[in-house]
Amino acid sequence: MATSIEGLLSELSGLDEPLEELRNLKTAVLAIPLNILGETVNGLRLEVIFSLLNTNDREQIELCGAILSRILQALDPVILAQNLKTELQCGLNHPDDLVKILAMTQIGRIVEHPEAVTEILNSQELVKQIINCIGGEKISVAKEAIKALSKMAQTKAGLDALFMGNLLKYLKDVMAISDVVRYRVYELVVEISSVSPVSLGYCANSSFISQLIGELTGDDILVRATAIEMVTTLAQSQHGRQYLAQQGIVDKISNMITGAESDPFSGFYLPGLVKFFGNLAIMDSPQQICECYPAFLKKVFEMAVGQDPTMIGVALDTLGILGSNIEGKQVLQKTGEKFQDVLKRMSNVARNATTELRVRSLEAVALLLTLPAEQQTEDLLGLTESWFNSLSSQPMEMLKSISTQPFPELHCSALKIFTGMASQPWGQKKMIDTPGFVEFIVDRSTGPDKESKDAKYELVKALVDSKTTAEIFGNQHYLRLRTYMREGPYYVTAVSSVTVEGAE
């Protein structure tokens, strides 16, 4: 096979019309497993394929790209760095984005390798070209450049190269091209900062972080919205959250929520501010966040009972996140009647809003009512039961009605609420007291699609796994549930066909 590929490469030299030979070579390299291909092509001269990229013929470019993508993937990153660095660098300047992405992907492999990365770091011009690709028109190329530079910054040598020398100025020059490019650089900086406190220190000392924070209060509303997304990503890491708290940024964002009431354009960035605190609450402590920044929960409640569909959706998602753990449930319960009003509104949205909002409301309610067996204290069981009863005057009938509607997303979301209740004794009692509920659960004709079958199976499984189901449901119903579970979600009853002699 090595002879075959070497022969096909030789045939390509000097051809004016190489398409047929390229097709044959593509077939050959795709037919060999990667580990064997690496041994086969190692040492072969690939310059001829790279040279054939210099054309306006789209098919020729695609064939060369496919061949090189396969061959280069099979080669060790050290070999790529030592033997093909110049060709990859030329690829970054190619007018076709396919070639740029091919080159960037392979450079990404090189910078991930602890030995090969030095070859890239020693070539400042090559790194400049990677940075330059962040400023290109195509987002696909820019994304690959961000990925490669982010990998390069995984080491101290990479951080030093990017932030301690001439490349820093070049990165800032590229950043100044446009608003779009500026935010691509912020994306890179946030990605690097999230790796470790040391990485964050490099980015902060280079003034990128402070510049990003400054965007939060800029005059451009859309820029603010993008900035808060970036800051929220930075807060995903513990050291990122600590930095934001120490710098007073969390206080600043809380003040922005309060100030949003008097800003007619706050609808553009307010959802981002709320999502920021929602993320903080679930990663750290719902109680601490809600107590230290009361404007957050107050705004979530206002959004939930308001009229703006966008705000309602964000509020529903946030309430679901907050109420998904015990501490969050207790925080919400402490608000008393305010949260009872929100629950009634969630029920109203689940019945009467657009399908998207109905689903988001049902999903949030499912998270609020779910209580794992190991956390089922008397107080918490009383809490979830009271929330369920607050949804409407007849919550079981309401949810059963939604779960039988011919819309899979609504059907499955309503079943998730029942699944959340299924391990709790009060939930089981409500189910057995609802006429026809057990029959509905074991009826395989409802919800014919896979998602619905899976959702119903999860409900049955939750009931069977609970220690109190047999007592509350009774043995007959419990055995029906166990049979359903044993048969699995996709069981189909076989129908025998009997032929009667003499029948027409």
Side-chain angles (χ1 to χ4, degrees), residues 6 31 33 51 89 94-95 170 179 256 270 309 313 381 383 415 422 431:
E6 189 173 8
S51 67
Q89 188 169 344
H94 198 281
Y170 194 75
D179 286 349
M256 287 175 69
L270 187 55
L381 285 168
L383 179 152
L415 287 175
M431 290 177 187

Side-chain angles (χ1 to χ4, degrees), residues 97 100 130-150 163 171-172 174-192 208 211-212 215 226-227 230:
D97 293 330
K100 286 180 181 175
I130 301 172
I131 292 171
N132 206 45
C133 285
I134 298 178
E137 288 184 23
K138 292 294 177 68
I139 184 65
S140 55
V141 176
K143 288 284 185 188
E144 288 298 326
I146 290 169
K147 202 182 297 182
L149 290 167
S150 179
F163 296 108
L171 187 58
K172 290 185 175 181
V174 169
M175 190 181 191
I177 291 174
S178 67
D179 286 349
V180 170
V181 176
R182 186 163 84 255
Y183 276 93
R184 289 177 188 169
V185 175
Y186 284 144
E187 184 181 335
L188 168 65
V189 167
V190 168
E191 208 164 295
I192 293 172
F208 284 115
Q211 190 174 341
L212 171 60
E215 307 270 18
T226 310
M230 297 286 181

Side-chain angles (χ1 to χ4, degrees), residues 249-440:
I249 309 308
V250 182
D251 289 323
K252 178 182 280 191
I253 294 173
S254 177
N255 292 335
M256 287 175 69
I257 290 179
T258 305
E261 294 176 8
S262 57
D263 184 353
F265 300 106
S266 63
F268 288 103
Y269 61 85
L270 187 55
L273 301 179
V274 170
K275 287 178 186 176
F276 172 82
F277 276 106
N279 278 295
L280 284 191
I282 203 64
M283 286 184 288
D284 284 340
S285 160
Q287 181 175 340
Q288 182 182 343
I289 294 301
C290 292
E291 286 180 358
C292 293
Y293 308 100
F296 160 58
L297 195 54
K298 177 174 179 284
K299 181 56 67 176
V300 172
F301 284 2
E302 286 176 8
M303 290 163 63
V305 299
Q307 300 301 317
D308 186 328
T310 301
M311 300 298 179
I312 293 170
V314 173
L316 292 171
D317 297 343
T318 305
L319 288 167
I321 290 170
L322 271 178
S324 62
N325 65 28
I326 299 304
E327 189 179 315
K329 283 177 167 60
Q330 292 169 331
V331 167
L332 293 171
Q333 180 71 350
K334 283 180 185 176
T335 63
E337 289 185 10
K338 290 179 182 178
F339 187 57
Q340 299 296 319
D341 292 340
V342 169
L343 285 167
K344 289 183 176 65
R345 180 58 191 275
M346 292 174 79
S347 172
N348 185 273
V349 170
R351 294 194 305 272
N352 303 313
T354 62
T355 300
E356 183 203 352
L357 278 181
R358 293 178 72 188
V359 168
R360 289 167 82 173
S361 184
L362 292 166
E363 298 271 345
V365 171
L367 289 170
L368 290 169
L369 296 180
T370 297
L371 191 63
E374 63 274 13
Q375 298 173 339
Q376 290 179 12
T377 63
E378 187 177 338
D379 286 347
L380 288 171
L381 285 168
L383 179 152
T384 51
E385 183 177 8
S386 71
W387 285 1
F388 181 81
N389 292 331
S390 296
L391 290 172
S392 74
S393 56
Q394 295 182 309
M396 281 298 293
E397 286 72 14
M398 175 195 81
L399 291 169
K400 189 180 174 188
S401 171
I402 294 173
S403 67
T404 56
Q405 292 179 9
F407 303 102
E409 59 268 54
L410 290 172
H411 177 80
C412 293
S413 297
L415 287 175
K416 283 182 184 177
I417 296 177
F418 290 136
T419 303
M421 300 162 50
S423 67
Q424 302 174 65
W426 66 261
Q428 295 165 8
K429 287 172 185 172
K430 289 191 183 292
M431 290 177 187
I432 200 65
D433 290 341
T434 302
F437 192 83
V438 176
E439 287 70 21
F440 160 68

Side-chain angles (χ1 to χ4, degrees), residues 121 152-162 164 198 202:
L121 294 177
M152 195 177 85
Q154 298 283 319
T155 63
K156 185 180 184 301
L159 288 167
D160 286 341
L162 269 181
M164 300 295 286
V198 171
Y202 274 86

Side-chain angles (χ1 to χ4, degrees), residues 411 443-450 452-453 456:
H411 177 80
D443 182 0
R444 294 182 181 276
S445 66
T446 60
D449 57 283
K450 181 182 182 300
S452 299
K453 290 180 187 294
K456 187 175 280 192

